[in-house]
Amino acid sequence: MESDTGSNSSRSSSPELVVGSSVGGFFSNQMFQEYCRKEGSGRDSKPRKALGAVDAGAKDHIQSELIGPDGQDLRLKVNSRERKRMHDLNEAMDGLREVMPYAQGPSVRKLSKISTLMLARNYILMLSSSLDEMKKLVGEVYGSGGVQGHVARRVVQPTVAPLPHLPAAVPLQLLPLAQSLHSLGGSAAAMTASTLHHATHSSAHAPHSPPSAGYLGYHASSLPSLLKDPLHLASSYRHFPGMPCPCSLCQPMPVSTASLHSLAIRK
DNA sequence: TAGGCCATCTGGTCCT
DNA sequence: AGGACCAGATGGCCTA
């Protein structure tokens, strides 16, 4: 099936489709004619799935329903619904991107769907562990008075200003996330990651274990195909708290948003 | 040019 | 019956 509509908006996850009040308004004449021609000639170029519970009679019923004069309207209606459903899904995906610790801007390429989902998962895991740690600390504070100095040492660590949408406590535990982002490689994500990474890197008392691939939520073997390093900024260096890091991402980075954007991928 | 990502169409299945 | 959800297929755009 021709997807001429896709060429109008294929690069946006929330395409600005000019969908008229009627479904037919969405189709160009050429597309509609093509559609009708295919319908008329009985399109069946692709293999069908097993019909399962739908018997042959039901199949014929469905087919005739879609091929008849009302069938075209029905088909358009179904397509429109599906389109709307996918647009809603993409809006939700955009909403998710907005709350991710990821440099955003008009000149920054946005995260792919798969990257967004994986990063979101890691982010949630990181926040959960951060919350657990905070609970532990609170327990220590109220459990015994002798640990206040210890707690104070741990809380007062050099941090960067948290991202606008992040709770103030988050930077304490951002190293794992930064490392995840680092592993995502390059682009603005890595810029943010680097900033966060440095925030915790410089602490000799960082209570973190060495980088754990578990934060990524997937096996490293799948990374190359899923998350490439567009700018080749990230390298294979492993990061450990308190250890100097030679990778390009860990060189002094500008912290202003404008600077981040200037270094991020151009569209 | 190959590969990644995406939007769209489409038919099947499940749910209300 | 109608709608939502899902997955396969297809083709376009972009980048390395």
Side-chain angles (χ1 to χ4, degrees):
Chain A
M1 179 83 185
E2 261 78 336
S3 294
D4 289 350
T5 55
S7 62
N8 294 334
S9 54
S10 66
R11 299 320 301 167
S12 170
S13 64
S14 296
E16 311 267 328
L17 288 177
V18 184
V19 182
S21 55
S22 67
V23 178
F26 173 76
F27 273 54
S28 67
N29 286 339
Q30 179 189 3
M31 188 178 178
F32 184 71
Q33 288 170 5
E34 179 74 10
Y35 176 85
C36 293
R37 184 171 56 80
K38 285 191 175 182
E39 286 293 330
S41 63
R43 127 186 64 80
D44 205 355
S45 58
K46 62 182 177 185
R48 282 224 174 84
K49 278 195 232 173
L51 288 174
V54 180
D55 58 27
K59 185 185 76 173
D60 289 345
H61 170 68
I62 293 172
Q63 286 292 310
S64 62
E65 201 175 49
L66 291 176
I67 289 177
D70 293 337
Q72 291 176 2
D73 283 343
L74 178 61
R75 188 69 263 174
L76 296 179
K77 207 168 133 191
V78 170
N79 290 349
S80 179
R81 271 202 309 269
E82 176 66 8
R83 220 179 296 126
K84 180 184 179 303
R85 193 182 71 83
M86 295 309 296
H87 289 175
D88 290 344
L89 184 63
N90 286 331
E91 277 184 24
M93 194 67 73
D94 288 339
L96 185 56
R97 285 189 187 97
E98 286 175 7
V99 298
M100 297 301 293
Y102 175 81
Q104 298 170 52
S107 60
V108 179
R109 184 192 298 169
K110 69 182 182 185
L111 286 171
S112 68
K113 290 178 179 178
I114 183 72
S115 299
T116 300
L117 290 176
M118 290 192 294
L119 189 55
R121 177 183 182 274
N122 299 336
Y123 190 35
I124 291 169
L125 289 175
M126 185 274 297
L127 290 178
S128 296
S129 66
S130 180
L131 183 60
D132 287 344
E133 176 120 351
M134 292 301 292
K135 284 178 180 174
K136 278 184 199 167
L137 291 176
V138 169
E140 288 179 12
V141 168
Y142 292 101
S144 67
V147 295
Q148 288 180 354
H150 167 68
V151 169
R153 272 199 310 276
R154 299 188 68 178
V155 169
V156 182
Q157 292 184 25
T159 65
V160 294
L163 294 173
H165 47 274
L166 294 179
V170 166
L172 292 176
Q173 288 291 326
L174 278 178
L175 180 60
L177 178 67
Q179 287 157 349
S180 293
L181 289 166
H182 196 174
S183 297
L184 292 178
S187 117
M191 298 302 168
T192 305
S194 177
T195 305
L196 302 176
H197 174 56
H198 270 283
T200 48
H201 222 202
S202 59
S203 171
H205 300 285
H208 310 293
S209 57
S212 166
Y215 275 98
L216 296 176
Y218 43 81
H219 297 297
S221 59
S222 64
L223 277 175
S225 61
L226 294 175
L227 303 163
K228 293 193 302 183
D229 177 4
L231 295 180
H232 304 288
L233 290 172
S235 61
S236 58
Y237 294 117
R238 296 198 67 191
H239 295 79
F240 297 93
M243 298 296 289
C245 175
C247 82
S248 57
L249 281 179
C250 292
Q251 302 312 306
M253 299 295 293
V255 294
S256 71
T257 303
S259 300
L260 287 177
H261 289 171
S262 71
L263 289 170
I265 299 175
R266 300 285 173 188
K267 274 184 179 175

